[in-house]
Protein backbone atom coordinates (compact mmCIF):
# COMPACT_ATOMS: atom_id res chain seq x y z
CA UNK A 1 0.00 0.00 0.00
CA UNK A 2 1.36 3.39 -0.99
CA UNK A 3 1.50 6.36 1.39
CA UNK A 4 1.92 10.04 0.56
CA UNK A 5 5.17 11.42 1.95
CA UNK A 6 5.12 15.21 2.49
CA UNK A 7 8.91 15.51 2.31
CA UNK A 8 9.25 13.53 -0.92
CA UNK A 9 6.08 15.10 -2.32
CA UNK A 10 4.66 11.88 -3.73
CA UNK A 11 3.33 8.48 -2.75
CA UNK A 12 5.83 5.72 -2.10
CA UNK A 13 5.99 2.15 -0.89
CA UNK A 14 9.75 1.98 -0.57
CA UNK A 15 11.84 5.15 -1.01
CA UNK A 16 15.29 4.88 -2.60
CA UNK A 17 18.20 6.74 -1.02
CA UNK A 18 21.62 7.61 -2.46
CA UNK A 19 24.62 9.45 -1.06
CA UNK A 20 28.13 10.31 -2.22
CA UNK A 21 31.39 10.83 -0.37
CA UNK A 22 34.77 9.40 0.58
CA UNK A 23 35.13 6.14 2.46
CA UNK A 24 38.33 5.82 4.48
CA UNK A 25 40.38 3.23 6.30
CA UNK A 26 40.27 3.90 10.05
CA UNK A 27 43.17 2.75 12.27
CA UNK A 28 42.59 2.84 16.03
CA UNK A 29 44.91 1.79 18.90
CA UNK A 30 43.04 -0.72 21.12
CA UNK A 31 42.03 -0.16 24.74
CA UNK A 32 42.06 3.65 24.58
CA UNK A 33 45.83 3.73 23.99
CA UNK A 34 47.50 6.92 22.77
CA UNK A 35 48.74 6.94 19.18
CA UNK A 36 52.36 7.56 20.14
CA UNK A 37 52.29 4.52 22.43
CA UNK A 38 50.48 2.12 20.09
CA UNK A 39 52.12 -1.07 18.82
CA UNK A 40 49.08 -2.32 16.88
CA UNK A 41 45.88 -0.90 15.39
CA UNK A 42 42.32 -2.06 14.86
CA UNK A 43 41.28 -1.55 11.23
CA UNK A 44 37.79 -0.56 10.12
CA UNK A 45 36.18 1.68 7.51
CA UNK A 46 34.09 4.82 7.68
CA UNK A 47 33.24 8.25 6.40
CA UNK A 48 30.26 10.53 6.99
CA UNK A 49 28.16 9.65 3.95
CA UNK A 50 29.09 5.96 4.05
CA UNK A 51 28.07 5.82 7.71
CA UNK A 52 24.63 7.21 6.86
CA UNK A 53 24.14 4.83 3.94
CA UNK A 54 25.03 1.88 6.17
CA UNK A 55 22.75 2.95 9.04
CA UNK A 56 19.78 3.43 6.73
CA UNK A 57 20.41 0.09 5.02
CA UNK A 58 20.42 -1.61 8.42
CA UNK A 59 17.05 0.00 9.11
CA UNK A 60 15.66 -1.46 5.90
CA UNK A 61 15.95 1.53 3.54
CA UNK A 62 17.00 0.86 -0.06
CA UNK A 63 20.38 2.61 0.29
CA UNK A 64 23.12 3.26 -2.29
CA UNK A 65 26.61 4.71 -1.88
CA UNK A 66 28.68 6.31 -4.66
CA UNK A 67 32.41 6.91 -4.35
CA UNK A 68 35.80 6.27 -5.92
CA UNK A 69 38.23 3.79 -4.37
CA UNK A 70 41.45 2.15 -5.63
CA UNK A 71 41.16 -1.19 -7.37
CA UNK A 72 43.28 -3.00 -4.79
CA UNK A 73 42.69 -5.03 -1.65
CA UNK A 74 41.95 -1.97 0.52
CA UNK A 75 39.42 -0.52 -1.90
CA UNK A 76 37.73 -3.87 -2.40
CA UNK A 77 37.63 -4.48 1.35
CA UNK A 78 35.87 -1.14 1.90
CA UNK A 79 33.26 -2.01 -0.73
CA UNK A 80 32.85 -5.46 0.78
CA UNK A 81 32.18 -3.89 4.20
CA UNK A 82 29.40 -1.76 2.74
CA UNK A 83 27.85 -4.63 0.82
CA UNK A 84 27.92 -6.86 3.90
CA UNK A 85 25.63 -4.26 5.49
CA UNK A 86 23.18 -4.29 2.56
CA UNK A 87 24.40 -1.04 0.99
CA UNK A 88 24.18 -1.06 -2.81
CA UNK A 89 27.58 -0.27 -4.34
CA UNK A 90 26.88 -0.76 -8.06
CA UNK A 91 27.85 2.86 -8.95
CA UNK A 92 31.18 2.60 -7.10
CA UNK A 93 34.25 3.37 -9.25
CA UNK A 94 37.43 1.33 -8.75
CA UNK A 95 40.40 3.09 -10.30
CA UNK A 96 43.41 1.43 -11.88
CA UNK A 97 46.92 2.88 -11.30
CA UNK A 98 47.10 4.27 -14.84
CA UNK A 99 43.69 5.98 -14.61
CA UNK A 100 44.57 8.59 -11.99
CA UNK A 101 47.73 10.07 -10.47
CA UNK A 102 46.61 8.48 -7.20
CA UNK A 103 45.55 4.94 -6.45
CA UNK A 104 45.20 5.15 -2.69
CA UNK A 105 42.44 4.98 -0.11
CA UNK A 106 42.19 7.85 2.37
CA UNK A 107 43.17 6.90 5.91
CA UNK A 108 42.71 8.36 9.36
CA UNK A 109 44.07 7.48 12.78
CA UNK A 110 41.82 7.76 15.81
CA UNK A 111 43.04 8.10 19.38
CA UNK A 112 39.94 7.42 21.47
CA UNK A 113 39.50 9.74 24.43
CA UNK A 114 38.74 8.62 27.95
CA UNK A 115 37.68 10.58 31.02
CA UNK A 116 39.27 14.02 30.95
CA UNK A 117 41.40 13.13 27.88
CA UNK A 118 39.65 14.01 24.58
CA UNK A 119 39.80 12.02 21.36
CA UNK A 120 42.36 12.92 18.70
CA UNK A 121 42.33 12.37 14.92
CA UNK A 122 45.16 12.46 12.38
CA UNK A 123 44.15 12.41 8.71
CA UNK A 124 46.13 10.96 5.81
CA UNK A 125 43.75 11.49 2.91
CA UNK A 126 45.50 13.94 0.58
CA UNK A 127 45.70 12.71 -3.04
CA UNK A 128 43.27 9.85 -2.38
CA UNK A 129 41.53 8.30 -5.37
CA UNK A 130 38.33 10.33 -5.04
CA UNK A 131 40.20 13.66 -4.93
CA UNK A 132 41.90 13.09 -8.28
CA UNK A 133 39.20 11.38 -10.33
CA UNK A 134 37.78 13.11 -13.40
CA UNK A 135 34.05 13.19 -12.61
CA UNK A 136 33.21 14.61 -16.04
CA UNK A 137 33.20 10.93 -17.05
CA UNK A 138 30.22 10.23 -14.78
CA UNK A 139 26.69 10.35 -16.22
CA UNK A 140 24.85 12.03 -13.33
CA UNK A 141 21.48 11.71 -15.06
CA UNK A 142 21.93 7.94 -15.07
CA UNK A 143 23.48 7.86 -11.59
CA UNK A 144 20.51 9.59 -9.93
CA UNK A 145 17.76 7.99 -11.98
CA UNK A 146 15.08 6.30 -9.89
CA UNK A 147 16.13 7.73 -6.52
CA UNK A 148 13.94 9.75 -4.16
CA UNK A 149 16.51 11.19 -1.73
CA UNK A 150 20.07 12.47 -2.18
CA UNK A 151 22.22 13.20 0.86
CA UNK A 152 25.46 15.21 0.74
CA UNK A 153 27.78 16.80 3.28
CA UNK A 154 30.23 19.69 3.59
CA UNK A 155 33.17 17.29 3.86
CA UNK A 156 33.24 16.07 0.25
CA UNK A 157 33.36 19.48 -1.48
CA UNK A 158 36.18 20.47 0.88
CA UNK A 159 38.43 17.63 -0.30
CA UNK A 160 39.45 18.97 -3.70
CA UNK A 161 38.20 21.14 -6.61
CA UNK A 162 36.98 18.10 -8.56
CA UNK A 163 34.85 17.01 -5.59
CA UNK A 164 33.47 20.52 -5.26
CA UNK A 165 32.41 20.46 -8.89
CA UNK A 166 30.85 17.02 -8.49
CA UNK A 167 28.67 18.15 -5.57
CA UNK A 168 27.45 21.25 -7.43
CA UNK A 169 26.62 19.16 -10.51
CA UNK A 170 24.84 16.51 -8.42
CA UNK A 171 22.74 19.19 -6.74
CA UNK A 172 21.73 20.68 -10.09
CA UNK A 173 20.82 17.26 -11.49
CA UNK A 174 18.89 16.35 -8.34
CA UNK A 175 16.93 19.60 -8.57
CA UNK A 176 16.07 18.84 -12.21
CA UNK A 177 14.83 15.38 -11.22
CA UNK A 178 12.87 16.64 -8.21
CA UNK A 179 14.81 14.66 -5.60
CA UNK A 180 14.67 15.54 -1.93
CA UNK A 181 18.14 16.81 -1.00
CA UNK A 182 19.57 16.86 2.52
CA UNK A 183 22.88 18.49 3.38
CA UNK A 184 24.93 18.28 6.57
CA UNK A 185 27.27 21.27 6.99
CA UNK A 186 30.01 19.15 8.64
CA UNK A 187 32.58 21.97 8.61
CA UNK A 188 36.20 20.74 8.80
CA UNK A 189 38.74 23.50 9.44
CA UNK A 190 41.56 21.15 8.39
CA UNK A 191 40.12 20.93 4.87
CA UNK A 192 39.11 24.51 4.01
CA UNK A 193 38.56 27.91 5.56
CA UNK A 194 35.33 29.09 7.13
CA UNK A 195 34.87 31.67 4.35
CA UNK A 196 35.32 29.03 1.63
CA UNK A 197 32.78 26.74 3.30
CA UNK A 198 30.30 29.56 3.88
CA UNK A 199 30.49 30.78 0.28
CA UNK A 200 30.07 27.26 -1.09
CA UNK A 201 27.06 26.53 1.11
CA UNK A 202 25.50 29.88 0.23
CA UNK A 203 25.68 28.92 -3.44
CA UNK A 204 24.11 25.52 -2.76
CA UNK A 205 21.39 26.40 -0.23
CA UNK A 206 18.64 27.16 -2.79
CA UNK A 207 18.97 23.55 -4.00
CA UNK A 208 18.55 21.93 -0.56
CA UNK A 209 15.34 20.55 0.90
CA UNK A 210 16.70 19.82 4.39
CA UNK A 211 19.82 20.97 6.23
CA UNK A 212 21.30 20.19 9.60
CA UNK A 213 24.49 20.35 11.62
CA UNK A 214 25.82 20.36 15.16
CA UNK A 215 26.57 24.07 14.70
CA UNK A 216 25.17 25.89 11.64
CA UNK A 217 28.47 27.61 10.95
CA UNK A 218 28.64 27.50 7.18
CA UNK A 219 25.22 28.52 5.88
CA UNK A 220 24.50 32.02 4.65
CA UNK A 221 26.56 35.17 4.38
CA UNK A 222 25.50 37.14 7.46
CA UNK A 223 27.52 36.23 10.53
CA UNK A 224 28.54 37.29 14.00
CA UNK A 225 31.34 36.11 16.23
CA UNK A 226 30.56 33.60 18.96
CA UNK A 227 32.13 33.73 22.44
CA UNK A 228 35.89 33.22 22.45
CA UNK A 229 35.51 29.88 24.22
CA UNK A 230 33.96 28.27 21.14
CA UNK A 231 36.43 29.71 18.66
CA UNK A 232 33.81 29.46 15.92
CA UNK A 233 31.67 31.76 13.86
CA UNK A 234 27.91 31.48 13.80
CA UNK A 235 25.81 32.45 10.83
CA UNK A 236 22.81 34.70 10.44
CA UNK A 237 22.35 35.40 14.14
CA UNK A 238 24.02 35.63 17.50
CA UNK A 239 24.31 32.65 19.88
CA UNK A 240 21.93 34.41 22.24
CA UNK A 241 19.10 34.06 19.74
CA UNK A 242 16.64 31.20 20.16
CA UNK A 243 16.67 28.27 17.74
CA UNK A 244 13.27 29.42 16.50
CA UNK A 245 14.71 32.82 15.54
CA UNK A 246 17.76 31.24 13.92
CA UNK A 247 15.60 28.90 11.86
CA UNK A 248 13.32 31.75 10.84
CA UNK A 249 16.29 33.61 9.32
CA UNK A 250 17.00 30.58 7.15
CA UNK A 251 13.40 30.08 6.06
CA UNK A 252 12.97 33.73 5.11
CA UNK A 253 16.10 33.64 2.98
CA UNK A 254 15.68 30.10 1.60
CA UNK A 255 11.95 29.28 1.39
CA UNK A 256 12.62 25.99 -0.43
CA UNK A 257 13.81 24.45 2.87
CA UNK A 258 11.29 22.06 4.41
CA UNK A 259 13.31 21.07 7.46
CA UNK A 260 16.21 22.55 9.44
CA UNK A 261 17.76 20.76 12.41
CA UNK A 262 20.75 21.15 14.68
CA UNK A 263 21.96 19.04 17.54
CA UNK A 264 23.83 20.40 20.54
CA UNK A 265 26.43 18.48 22.54
CA UNK A 266 27.20 19.03 26.21
CA UNK A 267 30.57 17.47 27.11
CA UNK A 268 30.74 16.60 30.80
CA UNK A 269 33.99 14.68 30.18
CA UNK A 270 35.65 12.68 27.42
CA UNK A 271 33.53 9.72 28.55
CA UNK A 272 30.15 11.30 29.31
CA UNK A 273 28.14 13.62 27.07
CA UNK A 274 24.58 14.81 26.67
CA UNK A 275 22.74 15.59 23.44
CA UNK A 276 19.60 17.41 22.49
CA UNK A 277 18.36 18.80 19.20
CA UNK A 278 16.16 21.52 17.72
CA UNK A 279 14.20 21.22 14.47
CA UNK A 280 12.12 23.51 12.31
CA UNK A 281 9.46 21.58 10.41
CA UNK A 282 6.04 22.44 8.99
CA UNK A 283 6.17 25.97 10.37
CA UNK A 284 7.05 25.04 13.95
CA UNK A 285 10.19 24.60 16.05
CA UNK A 286 10.58 21.42 18.09
CA UNK A 287 12.99 20.59 20.91
CA UNK A 288 14.02 17.01 21.66
CA UNK A 289 14.49 15.28 24.96
CA UNK A 290 17.94 15.53 26.56
CA UNK A 291 19.90 12.27 26.29
CA UNK A 292 22.86 11.66 28.64
CA UNK A 293 25.15 8.69 28.02
CA UNK A 294 28.61 7.19 28.45
CA UNK A 295 30.83 7.07 25.36
CA UNK A 296 32.41 3.96 23.93
CA UNK A 297 33.13 5.51 20.50
CA UNK A 298 32.16 9.08 19.66
CA UNK A 299 33.01 9.09 15.93
CA UNK A 300 29.93 9.07 13.71
CA UNK A 301 27.51 10.49 16.26
CA UNK A 302 26.46 13.29 13.91
CA UNK A 303 26.01 10.82 11.06
CA UNK A 304 23.76 8.67 13.25
CA UNK A 305 21.69 11.79 14.01
CA UNK A 306 21.37 12.47 10.28
CA UNK A 307 20.44 8.89 9.40
CA UNK A 308 17.86 8.80 12.19
CA UNK A 309 16.27 12.01 10.98
CA UNK A 310 16.24 10.87 7.35
CA UNK A 311 14.70 7.53 8.33
CA UNK A 312 12.00 9.23 10.38
CA UNK A 313 11.16 11.62 7.53
CA UNK A 314 11.03 8.82 4.98
CA UNK A 315 8.56 6.99 7.21
CA UNK A 316 6.25 9.91 8.01
CA UNK A 317 6.98 10.16 11.73
CA UNK A 318 5.31 12.91 13.71
CA UNK A 319 7.62 15.90 14.18
CA UNK A 320 8.48 15.25 17.85
CA UNK A 321 9.09 11.58 17.08
CA UNK A 322 11.40 12.61 14.23
CA UNK A 323 13.71 14.69 16.35
CA UNK A 324 13.68 12.33 19.34
CA UNK A 325 14.43 9.34 17.12
CA UNK A 326 17.35 11.22 15.53
CA UNK A 327 18.91 12.14 18.90
CA UNK A 328 18.33 8.63 20.26
CA UNK A 329 20.08 7.21 17.17
CA UNK A 330 23.10 9.41 17.88
CA UNK A 331 23.17 8.46 21.56
CA UNK A 332 23.05 4.74 20.70
CA UNK A 333 25.89 5.18 18.19
CA UNK A 334 28.16 6.37 21.01
CA UNK A 335 27.87 2.88 22.52
CA UNK A 336 29.02 1.11 19.32
CA UNK A 337 32.60 0.62 18.12
CA UNK A 338 33.43 1.94 14.66
CA UNK A 339 32.28 4.87 12.56
CA UNK A 340 28.78 3.67 11.74
CA UNK A 341 25.82 2.62 13.79
CA UNK A 342 24.36 -0.78 12.89
CA UNK A 343 20.88 -0.88 14.43
CA UNK A 344 19.49 -4.39 14.56
CA UNK A 345 16.33 -3.57 16.50
CA UNK A 346 13.12 -2.78 14.66
CA UNK A 347 12.60 0.94 14.34
CA UNK A 348 9.36 2.26 15.83
CA UNK A 349 6.42 2.75 13.50
CA UNK A 350 5.16 6.18 12.56
CA UNK A 351 1.87 5.73 14.35
Amino acid sequence: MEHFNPILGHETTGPKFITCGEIMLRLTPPNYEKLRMATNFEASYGGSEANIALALANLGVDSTFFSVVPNNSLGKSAVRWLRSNDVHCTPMILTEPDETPSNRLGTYYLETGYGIRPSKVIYDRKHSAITEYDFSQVDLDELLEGFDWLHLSGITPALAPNCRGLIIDMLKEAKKKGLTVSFDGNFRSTLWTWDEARDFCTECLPMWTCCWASNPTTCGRTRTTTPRATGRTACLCSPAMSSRTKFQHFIERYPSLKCIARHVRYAHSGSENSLKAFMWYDGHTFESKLFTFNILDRVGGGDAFASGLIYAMLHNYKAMDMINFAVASSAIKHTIHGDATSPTMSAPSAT
Side-chain angles (χ1 to χ4, degrees), residues 187 192-199 216-223 232-235:
F187 175 63
W192 56 357
T193 67
W194 193 97
D195 287 339
E196 289 174 319
R198 184 200 63 218
D199 291 347
T217 54
T218 57
C219 305
R221 292 186 181 278
T222 306
R223 54 179 178 157
R232 294 188 177 182
T233 306
C235 61

Side-chain angles (χ1 to χ4, degrees), residues 14-27:
K16 296 185 67 177
F17 170 89
I18 186 170
T19 185
C20 164
E22 181 173 39
I23 185 168
M24 294 182 291
L25 172 66
R26 163 177 152 172
L27 297 173

Side-chain angles (χ1 to χ4, degrees), residues 136-147:
S136 66
Q137 306 174 57
V138 178
D139 186 337
L140 295 180
D141 175 60
E142 180 181 353
L143 176 67
L144 299 180
E145 182 62 33
F147 289 98

Side-chain angles (χ1 to χ4, degrees), residues 21-24 67-70 95 100-106 124-135 155-166 191:
E22 181 173 39
I23 185 168
M24 294 182 291
S67 188
V68 180
V69 296
T95 63
T100 172
S102 171
N103 194 44
R104 66 187 299 264
L105 190 72
D124 181 18
R125 65 197 304 182
K126 193 172 183 179
H127 301 302
S128 61
I130 192 173
T131 65
E132 300 196 358
Y133 189 78
D134 180 6
F135 287 108
I155 296 175
T156 301
L159 295 176
N162 68 322
C163 294
R164 208 163 305 157
L166 170 68
L191 296 176

